[in-house]
Amino acid sequence: MKIAFTTTGDSPDSPLDPRFGRATGFLVYDTDKDAFEAFSNNQNLNAVQGAGIQAAQNLASLGVEALVTGHCGPKAFTVLSRAGIKVYNTGLATVSGALNAFRNGELTAAESADSESHWV
Amino acid sequence: MRLVVASGKGGTGKTTVAVNLAKSWGSPVQLLDCDVEAPNTRLFLGGTMLESQVVTISVPEVNEALCNGCGECSRFCEYSAMACVAGKAMVFVSMCHSCGGCSLVCPTGAISEVESRIGTIVTSSFGKTTLLEGILDVGSTMAPQLIRRLKSLVKSGVPAILDSPPGTSCPVVTTMKGADFVILVTEPTPFGLHDLTLAVATTRELGLPFGVVVNRLGIGDDRVHSYCATEHIQVLLEIPDDRRIAEAYSRGELMVDVLPEYAGLFAGLRRELEKR
């Protein structure tokens, strides 16, 4: 199973980025391999609109099944849901901290977006 | 003749200049309120409403039975209005700029176009002036599409005065395109000058002839005039910072109707514009 974390860095000790669509990048943890892989989100960081939609689509194409992030807007949430990716919102500080919480079952899958749309 | 009244800075007097110019035109004129996110030209005129029409744009609709999930549509869409996950394309109508590209690149013909409402256009008449007012629906961001539709209703052979939104972004550029002349309204303040320079750059980029109207002359300083002199920009009209204009405005009256000397000034502006 692949779990994506939004982050401003590229290692498990890096801060969890509270933004989803305009996160600096993603760390994808593969539970089978017990390994992280980093992906840049630069393209969406500079997008005029639709950053969340694109980021969600990218995670779907990576085969991610769970997303751990700070906040997620309605359009991104719609795409993630359609792709079968569960969203876990957390205020935890680091990727490794968020992964531990996820493993311990301390995070609950969101039923809806937790932030407002920027573009109606 | 198509005249655009623009400004850069908001609140400099675009609508004031547009309405007073239309009112003092003498012969039939078309006035377009292109500030579709906050139209207010009609407040100054009253008049009789002739027609109200709904404006729609074409947006994609996916036939899931035909969609093979190839993702061509979402890769093509510059605005992220299409996404393709779990083997099917999905549409975000509010992001769509109505280019039609997705339906062209779809290899299976799964995308057709349906109409989606973005606003209305209201036509009113008062005296010799016909007002065409664009009103963008609350929540829609597609101002340029509505402005283009508004401009398509202009009748040739009758002069048109287009009251532009403030700023220098897409709705302003859309309003300015195709103009014979642009009137940039500013106030003689540092803020007015700053945004005037942006509006001048935009107008020059579009290759349009333009001149400046200085409103509320007497406030601020002389830097707008120095700038215009240095840049060889003609100052077409100066409207003094006259309390009587504000008083008339607060009663919903136009300066050309109640203050004869300003009727003369605007008549002069019209003659100046007609030379072009």
Side-chain angles (χ1 to χ4, degrees):
Chain A
M1 179 191 185
K2 287 181 177 174
I3 308 155
F5 298 84
T6 49
T7 180
T8 54
D10 54 9
S11 78
D13 299 328
S14 301
L16 193 80
D17 195 327
R19 303 162 301 174
F20 171 59
R22 292 181 197 275
T24 308
F26 299 99
L27 269 177
V28 176
Y29 177 74
D30 190 328
T31 53
D32 298 335
K33 297 178 187 163
D34 186 28
F36 283 98
E37 194 176 354
F39 296 91
S40 160
N41 192 40
N42 259 342
Q43 197 186 340
N44 294 324
L45 209 53
N46 298 320
V48 176
Q49 62 175 36
I53 295 171
Q54 286 297 333
Q57 197 171 224
N58 292 347
L59 292 189
S61 67
L62 292 172
V64 164
E65 290 172 60
L67 164 68
V68 182
T69 186
H71 303 286
C72 179
K75 293 196 186 71
F77 194 88
T78 303
V79 178
L80 292 163
S81 300
R82 182 79 84 93
I85 299 172
K86 288 197 160 61
V87 180
Y88 300 85
N89 302 113
T90 175
L92 287 166
T94 63
V95 172
S96 55
L99 176 59
N100 283 336
F102 182 82
R103 277 176 164 154
N104 297 337
E106 292 163 16
L107 304 181
T108 316
E111 284 172 15
S112 64
D114 79 325
S115 69
E116 297 267 323
S117 170
H118 303 295
W119 286 88
V120 296
Chain B
M1 176 158 47
R2 280 193 185 195
L3 299 168
V4 169
V5 184
S7 70
K9 185 183 176 297
T12 56
K14 285 179 297 301
T15 303
T16 297
V17 168
V19 171
N20 281 285
L21 185 60
K23 204 75 188 280
S24 57
W25 202 262
S27 53
V29 64
Q30 303 170 92
L31 183 57
L32 273 70
D33 193 344
C34 296
D35 190 2
V36 300
E37 288 174 86
N40 65 353
T41 308
R42 190 146 56 105
L43 291 178
F44 295 87
L45 296 166
T48 315
M49 192 194 293
L50 302 175
E51 193 191 356
S52 173
Q53 60 188 91
V54 171
V55 177
T56 61
I57 59 170
S58 298
V59 299
E61 188 174 70
V62 178
N63 179 343
E64 292 203 352
L66 294 177
C67 177
N68 65 4
C70 69
E72 285 295 331
C73 54
S74 78
R75 278 189 290 280
F76 180 84
C77 186
E78 193 71 19
Y79 300 99
S80 295
M82 304 286 302
C84 189
V85 290
K88 296 293 172 199
M90 55 198 297
V91 183
F92 292 92
V93 169
S94 66
M95 316 282 272
C96 176
H97 285 53
S98 195
C99 76
C102 53
S103 64
L104 293 176
V105 300
C106 177
T108 62
I111 298 174
S112 54
E113 293 192 323
V114 292
E115 293 304 299
S116 172
R117 179 185 156 132
I118 58 167
T120 52
I121 291 175
V122 172
T123 308
S124 316
S125 164
F126 40 94
K128 291 171 176 166
T129 305
T130 303
L131 173 67
L132 296 160
E133 179 186 34
I135 308 167
L136 191 68
D137 282 347
V138 172
S140 174
T141 58
M142 299 301 146
Q145 283 80 350
L146 184 52
I147 294 166
R148 275 196 284 273
R149 196 70 57 86
L150 190 60
K151 287 173 71 176
S152 75
L153 299 177
V154 169
K155 291 190 178 73
S156 59
V158 181
I161 300 170
L162 283 68
D163 187 7
S164 168
T168 52
S169 63
C170 299
V172 176
V173 171
T174 305
T175 303
M176 281 187 180
K177 276 185 177 170
D180 295 306
F181 192 80
V182 179
I183 300 166
L184 298 177
V185 184
T186 189
E187 58 182 33
T189 61
F191 191 177
L193 173 60
H194 175 269
D195 285 7
L196 174 65
T197 62
L198 300 177
V200 165
T202 306
T203 313
R204 282 182 172 154
E205 180 73 27
L206 291 168
L208 301 171
F210 66 96
V212 164
V213 168
V214 180
N215 190 18
R216 301 190 65 197
L217 185 73
I219 62 168
D221 55 36
D222 61 0
R223 280 184 280 177
V224 163
H225 286 84
S226 308
Y227 167 77
C228 289
T230 309
E231 292 286 324
H232 305 292
I233 297 167
Q234 185 183 1
V235 176
L236 300 158
L237 174 68
E238 292 169 329
I239 304 169
D241 185 38
D242 181 343
R243 186 183 169 91
R244 293 175 304 156
I245 297 174
E247 287 170 355
Y249 173 94
S250 71
R251 290 190 300 266
E253 294 169 350
L254 300 180
M255 66 178 107
V256 296
D257 287 339
V258 295
L259 300 166
E261 65 265 45
Y262 294 118
L265 269 186
F266 274 90
L269 175 62
R270 182 205 163 164
R271 283 193 297 276
E272 185 62 37
L273 293 166
E274 280 185 326
K275 286 186 207 158
R276 294 169 188 278

